Amino acid sequence: MEVLLGFCAAAEHQTADDVGPGGIVLVGRRMATASSPWSLSPAALRRAPFTPSLVLPSPNGSAIAASAGESPVVAGALRNATAVGHWLVRQGYGTADRPVAVIASGERWPDGSLRPAMEDLLGAGAIIAALDERLCGMLSPEAAVAAASFRATPDVSAAVAAGSSGRELIGGGFAEDVVVATELDACTAVPVLVEGAFTVAQ
């Protein structure tokens, strides 16, 4: 089951009542229960019953999406990198007139400060590499470095597992989450932000 995660600027403060009928707000990995199995663990979410509307409490991602204003927002990751990159090109993005900003949102340290995340760099690099397949070198130096980092990583899953975030998840008993998150191009859905929620691009 592929689930699209809707989020908005105040997602971390929302309740199921805010989401509407049938809406679910994801909880922390250790807060899931048998009666409420929808959590931030992608492996657990795969096994949970389908629900049409989910809210992802994501201070970094939601803040970035909210700050985009009227600019289109697409959610990409290692799991759908090629689909996102190719969809952007088909929509006419990635040119001088319609540039693309690929933002690796990162993580947070316990004190709330930004923690750069290697997995986000690799995810951004994978999307940029997919764009570059179609745009043939029309990349900024920063984008080229991100794409090169992805292309130079022979085993993305192993690299993420060995990094800070991967070790933290594995040590906490969530090794399967690392596996799910690094399934390269396992998903072809392209989530586009429409009226505060991500929906599948047509």
Side-chain angles (χ1 to χ4, degrees):
M1 175 178 71
E2 295 294 349
V3 181
L4 296 182
L5 307 176
F7 63 57
C8 68
E12 64 269 31
H13 304 300
Q14 287 197 328
T15 66
D17 291 337
D18 298 319
V19 185
I24 299 293
V25 178
L26 301 185
V27 298
R29 286 178 170 83
R30 298 188 186 283
M31 296 172 63
T33 64
S35 60
S36 184
W38 301 276
S39 81
L40 293 172
S41 163
L45 195 57
R46 265 184 172 175
R47 296 187 287 268
F50 175 79
T51 182
S53 181
L54 292 172
V55 171
L56 170 62
S58 169
N60 288 4
S62 55
I64 291 168
S67 67
E70 298 300 314
S71 298
V73 177
V74 179
L78 288 166
R79 290 182 53 81
N80 68 343
T82 297
V84 168
H86 292 180
W87 181 86
L88 288 168
V89 173
R90 289 196 303 273
Q91 302 305 308
Y93 293 106
T95 66
D97 293 330
R98 303 185 80 187
V100 174
V102 179
I103 302 172
S105 59
E107 295 286 348
R108 297 276 179 176
W109 294 110
D111 66 1
S113 60
L114 183 65
R115 181 180 89 182
M118 177 183 64
E119 62 273 15
D120 284 2
L121 170 64
L122 291 173
I127 293 167
I128 294 165
L131 277 166
D132 194 37
E133 287 176 6
R134 302 292 180 90
L135 300 178
C136 302
M138 295 175 56
L139 301 178
S140 69
E142 293 85 353
V145 167
S149 296
F150 168 72
R151 289 170 172 148
T153 304
D155 189 335
V156 170
S157 185
V160 173
S164 298
S165 299
R167 293 198 310 272
E168 181 180 341
L169 285 171
I170 293 167
F174 296 99
E176 191 178 355
D177 284 358
V178 179
V179 174
V180 172
T182 55
E183 291 174 341
L184 190 62
D185 289 328
C187 178
T188 58
V190 178
V192 178
L193 190 64
V194 179
E195 297 181 356
F198 281 108
T199 58
V200 180
Q202 300 302 315

